[in-house]
Amino acid sequence: MKLSSVVVRLGLGAALLGAGACASRQQVAESEESRPSESLSAYYPLAVGNRWTYRINGRADRTVDVEVLKEEDGYFHDSQGGQLAVDGFGVRDHKRYLLRGPLAEGTQWTNVVSVSSTERYRILQAGVPCEAPAGSFNHCVRVEARNRVDANTTLVNAFTFAEGVGLVRVEVSAEKANGERLPQTWLELASYKLRDSGN
């Protein structure tokens, strides 16, 4: 799968709404005593004007910049062609849920995205710390999505969402029938700027 396809499928631009008029990573930091939110929108908040930059394969000279441009028909559209929404079941694009509740290790769901393509999702970890070049975050959820390409290969996408920030990491690998994983590409959040939702 091409990197551009990963970026568009994930709707990377539709993330990152904070609680303030503009939030920095220092404002998102929370105390060790605070509890993670059970609200799915907290892990992929949406607002027009949100902007962030992802490093590709950890290289500072290879980045993708994303900005939420508009809201239309309940979906937030980004500068990479992604469209995301949060509903009562989870965070979704037009074909799939990227994150569903309950936010607990072991939660599973399936997305049938075409006649020949079924994606299987599972929450690997919930309420754990995570890191990216953009900062350290106390409450994160790690999700694995698997889609069988053929009899010998399964595409595996691992997503990490941080509370109050959104998507902070994507790792794409190809898993062979013998269990061997071949890394394909990965993205990590390098910087971001959040705007007030007006709520």
Side-chain angles (χ1 to χ4, degrees), residues 70-103:
K70 66 179 179 177
E71 180 184 5
E72 186 175 278
D73 298 326
Y75 286 86
F76 288 82
H77 299 245
D78 67 46
S79 59
Q80 294 295 320
Q83 300 176 22
L84 286 183
V86 178
D87 63 20
F89 296 102
V91 179
R92 63 170 297 131
D93 63 15
H94 287 285
K95 292 185 175 182
R96 66 183 53 78
Y97 280 94
L98 299 174
L99 183 63
R100 288 193 68 159
L103 295 176

Side-chain angles (χ1 to χ4, degrees), residues 29-162:
E30 38 189 302
S31 72
E32 292 296 326
E33 293 77 35
S34 64
R35 296 177 53 123
S37 173
E38 285 299 313
S39 168
L40 290 160
S41 63
Y43 289 87
Y44 217 123
L46 304 170
V48 173
N50 288 344
R51 296 179 307 174
W52 60 104
T53 299
Y54 290 90
R55 286 185 186 169
I56 302 169
N57 297 337
R59 292 179 50 182
D61 62 333
R62 293 189 63 204
T63 61
V64 58
D65 295 311
V66 184
E67 181 177 1
V68 179
L69 302 176
K70 66 179 179 177
E71 180 184 5
E72 186 175 278
D73 298 326
Y75 286 86
F76 288 82
H77 299 245
D78 67 46
S79 59
Q80 294 295 320
Q83 300 176 22
L84 286 183
V86 178
D87 63 20
F89 296 102
V91 179
R92 63 170 297 131
D93 63 15
H94 287 285
K95 292 185 175 182
R96 66 183 53 78
Y97 280 94
L98 299 174
L99 183 63
R100 288 193 68 159
L103 295 176
E105 183 178 332
T107 297
Q108 298 181 46
W109 64 98
T110 300
N111 295 306
V112 179
V113 295
S114 73
V115 174
S116 61
S117 181
T118 300
E119 300 171 346
R120 290 172 173 78
Y121 288 68
R122 182 167 63 96
I123 295 180
L124 301 178
Q125 296 176 301
V128 297
C130 65
E131 292 185 2
S136 297
F137 310 100
N138 289 335
H139 302 297
C140 303
V141 176
R142 190 159 184 264
V143 176
E144 181 180 84
R146 302 172 66 84
N147 189 345
R148 191 168 183 177
V149 176
D150 56 39
N152 298 312
T153 308
T154 298
L155 185 66
V156 181
N157 291 325
F159 313 118
T160 302
F161 301 89

